[in-house]
């Protein structure tokens, strides 16, 4: 009888130890799972943050590389167009709806590689004042936004006038000759000069003043 009590006591003790060990094991497992979840969550957050930063940087880089060109004159859809790095004038002309029937193909270079901020005026075949030898420099002019100095068309010398878009030697002489008899009272008066119409005025209006 005494032996049975001892055996039962030993069995109960063993069962108690097993229960305690099982409880500790389960608690430890839950703790490990929680730590793993926290680590996984932290890694996911870092990956998500890195992905967002990469997307932001990609978007900033794309915005930084955007190039824009203004095309007008004998073109079907004049305006400002975004271009790729490898764009040629021919590509821009296609984007702008093609040339009009009055465009002078002999005075433009469709293979010309384009640069940011260019202003392009497609010449009219009937415009006899164009200097064919200087056509590229006259009709394609980058706009320098960092230079706030404007040209006073009443006082500028010939060389200064020739820094304006589409103003070659012949047109510069015409401006000087005109103002010797008629002072420019407003910038629009420059359209009274022979060879300077609305399209050429639009190209230079932001670069000229009268004093």
């Amino acid at each position: 009888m005494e032996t049975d009590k001892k055996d039962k006591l030993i069995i109960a003790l063993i069962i108690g130890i097993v229960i305690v060990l099982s409880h500790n094991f389960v608690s430890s497992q839950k703790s490990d799972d929680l730590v793993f979840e926290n680590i996984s969550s932290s890694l996911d957050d870092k990956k998500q943050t890195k992905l967002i930063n990469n997307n932001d940087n990609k978007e900033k880089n794309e915005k930084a590389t955007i190039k824009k060109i203004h095309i007008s004159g004998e073109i079907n859809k004049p305006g400002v167009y975004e271009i790729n790095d490898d764009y040629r004038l021919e590509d821009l002309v296609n984007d702008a709806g093609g040339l009009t029937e009055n465009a002078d193909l002999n005075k433009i270079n469709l293979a010309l590689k384009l640069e940011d901020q260019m202003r392009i005026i497609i010449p009219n075949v009937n415009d006899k004042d164009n200097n064919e030898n200087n056509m590229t420099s006259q009709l394609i002019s980058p706009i320098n936004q960092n230079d706030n100095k404007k040209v006073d068309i009443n006082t500028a010398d010939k060389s200064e006038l020739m820094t304006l878009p589409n103003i070659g030697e012949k047109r510069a002489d015409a401006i000087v000759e005109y103002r010797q008899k008629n002072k420019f009272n407003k910038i629009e008066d420059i359209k009274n000069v022979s060879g300077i119409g609305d399209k050429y005025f639009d190209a230079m209006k932001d670069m000229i003043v009268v004093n």
Side-chain angles (χ1 to χ4, degrees):
M1 191 68 176
E2 188 69 25
T3 303
D4 290 341
K5 288 182 179 181
K6 288 183 180 180
D7 290 341
K8 290 180 179 179
L9 183 61
I10 292 172
I11 292 172
L13 182 61
I14 292 173
I15 292 173
I17 293 172
V18 170
I19 291 173
V20 171
L21 291 175
S22 299
H23 181 271
N24 289 339
F25 176 78
V26 171
S27 297
S28 176
Q29 187 68 28
K30 288 183 178 178
S31 178
D32 290 342
D33 290 342
L34 182 59
V35 171
F36 178 76
E37 288 177 2
N38 289 336
I39 293 174
S40 298
S41 177
S42 178
L43 291 174
D44 288 341
D45 289 342
K46 288 181 180 180
K47 288 180 180 179
Q48 186 68 21
T49 301
K50 185 176 181 180
L51 180 61
I52 292 173
N53 290 336
N54 288 339
N55 289 337
D56 289 343
N57 290 334
K58 182 179 179 180
E59 185 175 348
K60 287 179 181 178
N61 290 334
E62 287 177 351
K63 288 182 178 178
T65 57
I66 289 177
K67 294 181 179 181
K68 292 187 176 183
I69 301 292
H70 185 184
I71 186 169
S72 59
E74 298 302 327
I75 193 79
N76 285 315
K77 296 179 181 179
V80 177
Y81 290 83
E82 291 185 5
I83 65 169
N84 297 326
D85 288 337
D86 58 349
Y87 251 46
R88 305 281 176 168
L89 181 54
E90 181 183 22
D91 300 315
L92 178 59
V93 166
N94 290 334
D95 287 352
L99 301 171
T100 70
E101 60 182 10
N102 294 321
D104 193 344
L105 287 172
N106 292 324
K107 293 175 180 161
I108 58 175
N109 178 12
L110 291 174
L112 182 74
K113 189 171 183 178
L114 302 179
E115 298 176 8
D116 189 30
Q117 301 183 32
M118 275 186 170
R119 173 66 189 270
I120 300 175
I121 298 178
I122 304 298
N124 187 300
V125 69
N126 297 315
D127 187 354
K128 301 185 183 302
D129 190 44
N130 289 327
N131 184 339
E132 189 169 352
N133 293 328
N134 295 324
M135 189 52 51
T136 298
S137 61
Q138 288 180 3
L139 294 178
I140 302 173
S141 175
I143 301 172
N144 188 350
Q145 294 180 336
N146 296 322
D147 186 0
N148 294 321
K149 184 179 178 182
K150 295 188 177 183
V151 175
D152 185 343
I153 54 178
N154 274 323
T155 60
D157 60 24
K158 184 175 176 179
S159 61
E160 288 178 304
L161 291 171
M162 290 176 65
T163 64
L164 297 172
N166 314 318
I167 302 300
E169 184 175 358
K170 192 172 182 179
R171 285 198 181 97
D173 287 335
I175 293 172
V176 172
E177 182 179 351
Y178 177 90
R179 75 187 185 195
Q180 288 174 349
K181 301 176 182 178
N182 306 281
K183 181 181 178 181
F184 295 111
N185 295 313
K186 55 184 184 296
I187 61 173
E188 288 80 5
D189 289 344
I190 199 170
K191 291 190 290 184
N192 296 329
V193 177
S194 176
I196 300 178
D198 290 335
K199 294 173 182 177
Y200 292 141
F201 172 72
D202 287 341
M204 71 175 75
K205 66 182 180 181
D206 295 328
M207 304 172 65
I208 59 176
V209 294
V210 292
N211 292 318

